[in-house]
Amino acid sequence: MNPSIALTIQSTTHRDTEGIRAISVAVGVFDAVELATVDELLEAYFTHGPAASGYHFLTAHTHGEVAGFACYGPRALTSGTYDLYWIVTNPTYGRSGVARALVEAVMNVLRSQAGRLLIAETSGRTEYAKTRAFYVRAGFVAEAVIPDFYSPGDDLYLFVKRA
Amino acid sequence: MNPSIALTIQSTTHRDTEGIRAISVAVGVFDAVELATVDELLEAYFTHGPAASGYHFLTAHTHGEVAGFACYGPRALTSGTYDLYWIVTNPTYGRSGVARALVEAVMNVLRSQAGRLLIAETSGRTEYAKTRAFYVRAGFVAEAVIPDFYSPGDDLYLFVKRA
C-alpha cells in the first residue's frame, strides 16, 4: 500500500526528538511512565546505537514534520525475531498509511539483517480493537491468545508478521 | 504429588550460593553466559530483594544439601503474571519430584500474592522433549506455539500454569 501522503522514513536522529515527544503526548494513550520510557529508550539508542542498546527507531517525515515513528529491537535468545515496541502516528496524519509504511520500513530493515519474525503484543480489550485490526491489515497474524495474561479479562494477543 | 525424598523449600539465602552454582554446572545444559546470568540475578536478588530486583529464588534442600532451585519474577506490564526463568534439579535427585515440588512452592507464593499465571517458555526442539513433558506433568498447558520463533525450525512453546 502506498501511503496517501509523501513520506520519507529513516533511522531516527536527534532532530526528531521533539517531534517524537510531541506526537507521543498527542496520541493520548501513554501515561507518564510510558512517556518517560520512550525518552529513556531514545536516549539509549542515541548514546549506544541500535546494536548495543537493542532499540532501533525509525522516523517517518512529511513536509519536514514527524508523521510517526516506530521502535523495535531483537528478542533475547532468538536469532532473527524482533519485537515491535511502539508504532505511533501523528494524529494529524491518522489513516494516511503512515503506520503501515512504518511497518513495511521495519520489515525491510529486518530482511536486510536476516530478520524473520516481527512480534507485536497487544491487549484483547475493546479499547485495542482498532490496534488489533491495524495489525491484521498490516499483514500480522494473531498466532497466540493467552486469556487473562495482562489482568483478569485482559488477554494477550501475540501478532506475528513473517518476513 | 509428594516428592519421594524429604524436602524443605525456602527463599534462597547466601548459604545456597555455592550449591546453586554447583548444580547449575552439574546439569550440563548452561553455557558460560547463562551461568554468569544465574550469578548476576542471584546477586540482584540478594542485594535488592525480590521486589526491587524482580527476581525471586527458592531453594529446595534435602539433608542440608541443595536439591534444586527455581527463579521466577513478575512479567512487566501485567498484574499477577509471572515468568518461571529457571527450575534446576541436582542430578543426584533427578526424578525424585524435586522440580514438581519447586513448581508447587512457586505457585503457593504466587497465590499468596494474588498471582494468577506462571509462564514457562521453552523450545520445541527434540532436546527439550523431556522439559516439555515435565511442564505438562506439573500442570502447565502449552497455550501457544509460535513456529520458528527462536530460529528456523526451533519453535516457542509457551506453557501456562494457572493458580
Side-chain angles (χ1 to χ4, degrees), chain A residues 111-146:
Chain A
R111 285 183 201 111
S112 75
Q113 297 170 348
R116 303 173 300 103
L117 275 65
L118 181 63
I119 309 269
E121 298 188 345
T122 196
S123 159
R125 283 161 57 203
T126 313
E127 300 96 293
Y128 290 89
K130 282 184 185 168
T131 302
R132 296 192 300 275
F134 164 72
Y135 285 129
V136 171
R137 284 199 309 278
F140 288 80
V141 174
E143 295 198 9
V145 180
I146 310 290

Side-chain angles (χ1 to χ4, degrees), chain A:
Chain A
M1 172 184 151
N2 290 317
S4 54
I5 54 171
L7 288 177
T8 56
I9 299 183
Q10 289 172 310
S11 288
T12 297
T13 67
H14 277 99
R15 275 178 312 212
D16 303 327
T17 305
E18 284 313 310
I20 285 176
R21 277 194 194 132
I23 71 173
S24 299
V25 170
V27 290
V29 297
F30 297 126
D31 63 26
V33 171
E34 290 166 328
L35 291 173
T37 305
V38 175
D39 269 349
E40 205 176 287
L41 300 191
L42 251 186
E43 199 53 44
Y45 160 76
F46 287 139
T47 307
H48 305 291
S53 72
Y55 299 101
H56 195 182
F57 282 76
L58 295 180
T59 306
H61 293 95
T62 187
H63 304 299
E65 201 178 5
V66 172
F69 72 94
C71 173
Y72 66 96
R75 170 77 69 120
L77 306 178
T78 74
S79 167
T81 294
Y82 289 75
D83 284 303
L84 181 60
Y85 296 113
W86 291 299
I87 186 152
V88 180
T89 301
N90 186 333
T92 309
Y93 304 108
R95 312 194 66 76
S96 311
V98 175
R100 279 183 71 173
L102 279 163
V103 166
E104 287 313 316
V106 171
M107 292 306 289
N108 285 338
V109 179
L110 294 200
R111 285 183 201 111
S112 75
Q113 297 170 348
R116 303 173 300 103
L117 275 65
L118 181 63
I119 309 269
E121 298 188 345
T122 196
S123 159
R125 283 161 57 203
T126 313
E127 300 96 293
Y128 290 89
K130 282 184 185 168
T131 302
R132 296 192 300 275
F134 164 72
Y135 285 129
V136 171
R137 284 199 309 278
F140 288 80
V141 174
E143 295 198 9
V145 180
I146 310 290
D148 304 317
F149 178 87
Y150 291 111
S151 64
D154 189 354
D155 307 341
L156 164 68
Y157 273 65
L158 201 154
F159 284 95
V160 181
K161 186 170 167 79
R162 291 173 185 266

Side-chain angles (χ1 to χ4, degrees), chain B:
Chain B
M1 171 182 153
N2 290 317
S4 54
I5 54 172
L7 289 177
T8 56
I9 298 183
Q10 290 172 309
S11 287
T12 298
T13 67
H14 277 99
R15 276 177 313 210
D16 303 329
T17 305
E18 284 313 310
I20 284 175
R21 276 191 196 136
I23 71 172
S24 298
V25 171
V27 290
V29 296
F30 297 125
D31 63 25
V33 172
E34 290 165 329
L35 291 172
T37 306
V38 175
D39 269 351
E40 204 177 288
L41 300 191
L42 250 186
E43 199 51 45
Y45 159 76
F46 287 139
T47 308
H48 305 291
S53 72
Y55 299 101
H56 194 181
F57 282 77
L58 295 180
T59 306
H61 292 95
T62 187
H63 304 300
E65 204 178 2
V66 172
F69 72 93
C71 174
Y72 65 96
R75 171 76 69 119
L77 306 177
T78 74
S79 166
T81 293
Y82 290 76
D83 283 302
L84 181 60
Y85 296 113
W86 293 299
I87 185 152
V88 180
T89 301
N90 186 332
T92 310
Y93 304 109
R95 309 195 66 76
S96 310
V98 174
R100 279 184 68 175
L102 278 163
V103 167
E104 287 314 317
V106 171
M107 292 306 290
N108 286 337
V109 179
L110 293 200
R111 287 183 198 108
S112 74
Q113 296 170 348
R116 302 173 299 102
L117 274 67
L118 181 63
I119 310 269
E121 297 187 347
T122 196
S123 159
R125 282 160 57 202
T126 312
E127 301 95 292
Y128 290 89
K130 283 184 183 169
T131 303
R132 296 192 301 274
F134 164 74
Y135 286 129
V136 171
R137 286 199 309 279
F140 288 79
V141 174
E143 296 198 9
V145 179
I146 309 291
D148 304 318
F149 179 86
Y150 291 112
S151 64
D154 190 354
D155 307 341
L156 165 68
Y157 274 66
L158 201 155
F159 284 95
V160 181
K161 187 170 165 77
R162 293 175 183 265

